[in-house]
Amino acid sequence: MWELRLREAKPLSVCTARQGRVGLDRLHTPALCPAWGCLNSGLEMAMTDLQSYWNNLQHHTQEISSGRLIVRRGQPFNLTLYFKNRSFLPDLDNIIFVTETGPLPDLAKGTRAVFSLASHGGPSPWIASMETNRANSLEVSLCAPPVAAVGRYLLKIHIDSFQGSVTAYQIGEFILLFNPWCPADAVYLDSEPHRQEYVMNDYGFIYQGNKNWIRPCPWNYGQFEENIIDICLELLDKSLNFQIDPATDCVLRGSAVYISRVVCAMINSNDDNGVLNGNWSENYSDGINPAEWNGSVAILKQWHALGCQPVRYGQCWVFAAVMCTVMRCLGIPTRVITNFESGHDTDGNLIIDEYYDSTGRILENKKKDTVWNFHVWNECWMARKDLPPGYGGWQVLDATPQETSNGLYCCGPASVRAIKEGEVDLNFDTPFVFSMVNADCMSWLVFEGKEQKLHQDTDSVGIFISTKSILSDERDDVTENYKYKEGSPQERQIFLKALQKLKAGLSDGPYRADKPSRSTPVSGDRSRSLATPSPRASDVIQVSLKFKLLDPPNMGQDINFVLLALNMSTQFKELKVNLSAQSLLHDGSPLPPFWQDMVFIPLAAEEEKTHLCKIPYTQYSRFLSMDKLIRISALGEVASCPEKILVTKIITLAYPAIMINVLGAAVVNQPLSIEVIFVNPLLEQVEECVLTVEGSGLFKKQQTVFIGTLKSQHQASVTLEIVPFKSGQRQIQANLRSNKFKDIKGYRNVYVDLGL
């Protein structure tokens, strides 16, 4: 329900009469007095109706509030002025409007505007128009320019009556947001389905897993939940930019490019009291495991409740999800992007180096070059007048603190088109993003004190780049937005173009090309030969290796797989293979091996053999990382042949999803029961089980249910009663954690009817 909210108008000051006013005698005509009342006094305000409900409905902010005025720039909004003593006379009264934002509003800088009903085409870009003039009331329309700074505004009016007195009234506050519905706004998006998905949708999916197993992780963005708009504005005020120079910061808040960089830096806490502390250590005892979060609302509210101190903890998908919430709340179209096999090139030469020992296990990289199993960032839609024509549209912003940009831990906005075209000299941080999707990956064998180089993949980094589809729960592959098809002439040309620009030092940031350009690969996608350059034909190993899983890799079960070995020569080969398995962290960093084996496989000419392998749950469970990633490796060699062959495979172990059943029809303000069914997938008892459930428009706050102990492979259920308070398409997100696992997820979409 909505209500009419009237504000009593309080005079701020009264100014004395001015020179040159029209004489009062000519105004006191018999024809005027009966219709308009006594004209012996100036026009006096009684109260104001900000028409918050109707304005917010027209400005697509009704989900945020129906009682507070929240409007978008470049679009008119109406308010009604009520007067105490008489009606408004257009020829005799002048109403001057004043809007102010920031702690130091300034007319010259645009953070203060003065405009009136009679000043169309005047110096102020703000516009006031008269809509309806009734007895003792006046409806007016105001419109902020499409370049106005976003944020909180104070609205005042000055009434300049025929008597020569000017009375000032403080009307109240309103919030001004970006407007993707306005063609003149830099964030304008010309598709209503796109606007509904990237601005209005308050839930979604973040894609995780690995290139062979992509899974959607449900997320509650909740950008319209209670107090989120205030927390987002508070976030801007806590930025270093505002703390150092608040006046300039508020002036620049009209720029989507500027706002996106400020928010990007504030999501992490590396430079300031940002929203989230990052943690990749596997020790989360003094905070929340990043995998446990279901949504952004709890994180932002906790940050606010802690006095704007960082929340512990986040990793890339949490940083990106929270940034999506803030940007959508402010009105900038935003989506979450997952890049599988994401490069992290620390020295800017577009080469990711990986090192292996003689057993095939991957070694820690001292340079910190890594290939992340997946990495998550944001794309925000905006014009880029600071770049050449054609580079607006989707822009990459990465709030995960990896490298600094102009001294702060933020990344972007980098034009997606610039990344695809290799224009790494365009702002901001385009070289780093280019390397995440386009770097080469080279493997090195550390053996007997020497490093032997593998001329490795040119197409393994940056694949299956994914986001949620528009108004659908399906995955949308947007890889072609970032790069031309791998192996095509265009892709090769773009890589060399970017590398040349890096060598020439044209790019922004610390990137440089101090290593040779890519080498030509000499091995297939799965088997990689390591040797000194240009081996003799008699020294070529002529054997291929490949891993194949026999069963889906489910948590709690043994991992069964085979090693396929093929002799591609016409000669007998005695193959020696070192096998190993080790857990990986999300950022690609290896943990010590927990399983190793050595086998000898005799291969007749052109013969193929399989070697059966098994890693018991009891063996891997004690060494598994939070990300449930296991890398299996095989390093093969043949006697008297210097060349070696390496094959690797990454396995992500899966949990059974939580099931959610909706028991009845969902109607606004009517009780609704939901059943949450979950199972302990392990062959052992788990303790400290906690279920968390949330969903925007369905739950006023996140609900926590303490389950306690779950026996081995035991199924249990919980029934909850909720009262939906918003209509339309909604989503329930659930997470189950225990002392043995942290992120068994589930979701259910629910359509809530408005009812009578």
Side-chain angles (χ1 to χ4, degrees):
M1 295 296 293
W2 63 277
E3 56 182 334
L4 180 68
R5 294 204 174 187
L6 302 178
R7 292 179 177 268
E8 182 180 357
K10 297 180 179 180
L12 298 178
S13 62
V14 178
C15 301
T16 57
R18 298 180 300 173
Q19 300 293 322
R21 296 299 299 171
V22 176
L24 297 182
D25 55 330
R26 59 182 284 195
L27 301 177
H28 285 277
T29 63
L32 285 174
C33 287
W36 298 102
C38 180
L39 298 178
N40 289 329
S41 60
L43 189 63
E44 296 181 20
M45 282 287 299
M47 59 186 62
T48 307
D49 177 13
L50 297 179
Q51 300 189 32
S52 298
Y53 175 83
W54 295 109
N55 284 320
N56 292 3
L57 192 64
Q58 295 299 314
H59 286 249
H60 309 278
T61 61
Q62 74 278 10
E63 287 275 329
I64 303 177
S65 174
S66 61
R68 301 167 64 189
L69 183 58
I70 304 172
V71 295
R72 300 185 186 277
R73 62 190 194 174
Q75 182 176 340
F77 61 95
N78 290 4
L79 52 95
T80 305
L81 310 176
Y82 293 91
F83 307 108
K84 290 180 180 179
N85 56 336
R86 62 178 175 84
S87 298
F88 171 76
L89 300 176
D91 293 333
L92 305 177
D93 301 314
N94 187 23
I95 297 180
I96 301 169
F97 297 89
V98 179
T99 59
E100 297 176 341
T101 187
L104 299 168
D106 188 298
L107 193 64
K109 294 181 178 179
T111 49
R112 185 174 191 265
V114 179
F115 54 104
S116 72
L117 291 171
S119 63
H120 283 282
S124 175
W126 289 69
I127 298 173
S129 304
M130 183 170 64
E131 296 293 315
T132 307
N133 189 5
R134 296 189 177 94
N136 288 66
S137 72
L138 176 69
E139 184 175 10
V140 298
S141 171
L142 307 183
C143 186
V147 295
V150 300
R152 282 192 181 85
Y153 277 79
L154 184 63
L155 176 62
K156 304 174 186 177
I157 65 170
H158 295 182
I159 300 179
D160 186 358
S161 295
F162 63 90
Q163 292 177 308
S165 63
V166 179
T167 307
Y169 299 88
Q170 183 167 304
I171 301 303
E173 288 187 351
F174 66 93
I175 293 174
L176 188 67
L177 301 177
F178 290 98
N179 192 353
W181 284 266
C182 174
D185 197 304
V187 302
Y188 173 65
L189 196 54
D190 64 358
S191 164
E192 183 60 23
H194 283 71
R195 291 190 291 254
Q196 289 299 316
E197 180 65 51
Y198 301 132
V199 180
M200 301 301 294
N201 200 354
D202 58 8
Y203 68 87
F205 299 101
I206 302 169
Y207 293 94
Q208 300 180 352
N210 65 57
K211 63 182 179 181
N212 301 313
W213 183 75
I214 298 174
R215 71 178 181 105
C217 175
W219 194 270
N220 176 26
Y221 296 120
Q223 67 267 32
F224 305 131
E225 290 298 282
E226 186 178 11
N227 299 327
I228 293 300
I229 181 66
D230 299 299
I231 295 172
C232 292
L233 296 178
E234 183 178 33
L235 182 146
L236 298 181
D237 289 345
K238 294 297 180 181
S239 72
L240 286 179
N241 301 50
F242 184 86
Q243 299 298 317
I244 294 170
D245 188 350
T248 301
D249 175 75
C250 288
V251 170
L252 294 173
R253 288 184 185 181
S255 165
V257 172
Y258 177 79
I259 285 285
S260 66
R261 283 184 64 79
V262 169
V263 172
C264 189
M266 278 300 296
I267 296 300
N268 67 70
S269 62
N270 285 42
D271 309 295
D272 41 44
N273 287 329
V275 176
L276 281 159
N277 272 340
N279 187 341
W280 290 264
S281 72
E282 296 285 293
N283 179 10
Y284 311 107
S285 57
D286 59 345
I288 303 294
N289 187 314
E292 294 180 31
W293 297 112
N294 282 335
S296 307
V297 177
I299 295 170
L300 288 167
K301 288 189 173 182
Q302 185 175 331
W303 176 75
H304 171 74
L306 292 172
C308 303
Q309 295 298 308
V311 176
R312 300 173 179 172
Y313 288 103
Q315 290 186 8
C316 67
W317 69 92
V318 186
F319 290 115
V322 174
M323 182 161 183
C324 183
T325 297
V326 175
M327 299 299 275
R328 286 186 182 180
C329 185
L330 295 176
I332 299 178
T334 303
R335 59 188 186 182
V336 177
I337 301 291
T338 301
N339 179 38
F340 290 94
E341 298 293 293
S342 186
H344 184 180
D345 175 25
T346 57
D347 54 11
N349 66 344
L350 301 184
I351 295 174
I352 308 294
D353 296 299
E354 293 182 336
Y355 297 89
Y356 295 82
D357 70 7
S358 59
T359 67
R361 73 178 177 113
I362 191 169
L363 304 174
E364 185 175 358
N365 191 325
K366 295 180 180 179
K367 284 201 320 164
K368 302 301 180 183
D369 274 7
T370 53
V371 177
W372 293 34
N373 205 44
F374 67 89
H375 182 52
V376 184
W377 59 69
N378 297 102
E379 284 181 3
C380 297
W381 182 273
M382 65 188 73
R384 291 297 301 272
K385 293 183 179 180
D386 58 318
L387 301 183
Y391 290 97
W394 289 118
Q395 311 289 315
V396 170
L397 286 135
D398 189 351
T400 301
Q402 299 182 80
E403 305 290 337
T404 58
S405 173
N406 292 338
L408 294 177
Y409 277 94
C410 70
C411 177
S415 166
V416 172
R417 185 179 171 224
I419 296 161
K420 182 172 183 176
E421 300 298 335
E423 301 293 351
V424 293
D425 52 325
L426 298 182
N427 284 339
F428 292 88
D429 310 302
T430 310
F432 186 74
V433 182
F434 184 90
S435 73
M436 289 196 290
V437 299
N438 269 311
D440 277 358
C441 189
M442 282 195 177
S443 296
W444 300 79
L445 175 65
V446 180
F447 183 65
E448 296 180 350
K450 298 179 181 179
E451 293 180 1
Q452 292 181 319
K453 185 168 64 177
L454 169 65
H455 297 181
Q456 218 235 11
D457 297 333
T458 63
D459 58 2
S460 63
V461 170
I463 58 175
F464 301 125
I465 304 176
S466 304
T467 192
K468 178 184 176 298
S469 293
I470 299 167
L471 304 181
S472 164
D473 288 351
E474 298 302 312
R475 182 181 71 90
D476 189 13
D477 192 306
V478 295
T479 307
E480 66 177 10
N481 293 351
Y482 283 84
K483 57 203 298 188
Y484 290 97
K485 185 177 180 180
E486 289 288 358
S488 68
Q490 279 182 304
E491 190 273 336
R492 301 296 91 179
Q493 292 167 7
I494 293 299
F495 182 93
L496 294 174
K497 171 185 174 181
L499 191 61
Q500 281 300 118
K501 289 196 173 194
L502 290 172
K503 285 182 176 180
L506 295 177
S507 63
D508 61 327
Y511 278 72
R512 64 189 188 280
D514 56 2
K515 291 185 73 172
S517 60
R518 71 169 72 197
S519 302
T520 304
V522 297
S523 60
D525 289 339
R526 297 182 180 272
S527 297
R528 306 164 187 172
S529 299
L530 296 106
T532 54
S534 304
R536 295 172 298 171
S538 59
D539 292 337
V540 176
I541 194 168
Q542 294 182 295
V543 171
S544 73
L545 296 175
K546 180 180 177 180
F547 283 122
K548 182 179 179 181
L549 288 171
L550 298 179
D551 306 300
N554 293 319
M555 177 62 73
Q557 299 178 7
D558 298 342
I559 301 173
N560 295 301
F561 61 97
V562 294
L563 176 68
L564 304 175
L566 172 64
N567 183 359
M568 297 180 290
S569 74
T570 56
Q571 299 178 347
F572 173 82
K573 301 280 186 178
E574 180 71 31
L575 183 66
K576 173 188 173 184
V577 182
N578 285 300
L579 294 154
S580 69
Q582 58 194 128
S583 289
L584 295 179
L585 302 182
H586 165 63
D587 64 358
S589 301
L591 298 178
F594 57 80
W595 174 85
Q596 289 182 308
D597 195 10
M598 180 189 294
V599 296
F600 291 90
I601 304 175
L603 292 170
E606 300 180 344
E607 182 183 14
E608 182 178 34
K609 283 188 177 179
T610 61
H611 175 73
L612 182 63
C613 303
K614 177 178 179 179
I615 306 177
Y617 167 73
T618 53
Q619 186 165 5
Y620 72 73
S621 61
R622 294 176 292 128
F623 301 95
L624 204 58
S625 70
M626 179 199 78
D627 302 287
K628 306 176 292 296
L629 297 174
I630 295 176
R631 180 196 285 263
I632 52 176
S633 304
L635 184 68
E637 59 181 296
V638 174
S640 72
C641 179
E643 190 177 40
K644 295 179 174 62
I645 186 168
L646 173 71
V647 61
T648 65
K649 188 176 186 68
I650 294 178
I651 300 170
T652 302
L653 294 159
Y655 287 121
I658 293 174
M659 291 180 57
I660 302 174
N661 296 322
V662 179
L663 309 178
V667 181
V668 170
N669 295 326
Q670 297 295 319
L672 175 68
S673 294
I674 63 169
E675 180 186 36
V676 184
I677 304 171
F678 45 90
V679 64
N680 171 15
L682 306 183
L683 298 173
E684 58 183 314
Q685 178 175 289
V686 296
E687 301 173 349
E688 303 170 15
C689 295
V690 178
L691 177 72
T692 56
V693 189
E694 62 184 278
S696 289
L698 301 171
F699 298 82
K700 287 289 187 180
K701 63 178 182 179
Q702 186 184 75
Q703 289 198 18
T704 302
V705 182
F706 296 93
I707 308 298
T709 300
L710 275 177
K711 295 181 180 178
S712 169
Q713 298 186 319
H714 178 71
Q715 178 176 293
S717 67
V718 171
T719 301
L720 302 172
E721 186 173 279
I722 62 175
V723 180
F725 55 93
K726 289 184 179 181
S727 62
Q729 191 70 35
R730 304 289 164 186
Q731 188 183 83
I732 301 169
Q733 301 92 12
N735 183 77
L736 180 68
R737 75 170 191 260
S738 74
N739 65 328
K740 296 291 185 179
F741 50 75
K742 301 299 179 184
D743 61 336
I744 295 183
K745 303 283 186 183
Y747 73 95
R748 177 67 181 266
N749 292 342
V750 182
Y751 186 84
V752 181
D753 191 71
L754 189 58
L756 298 178

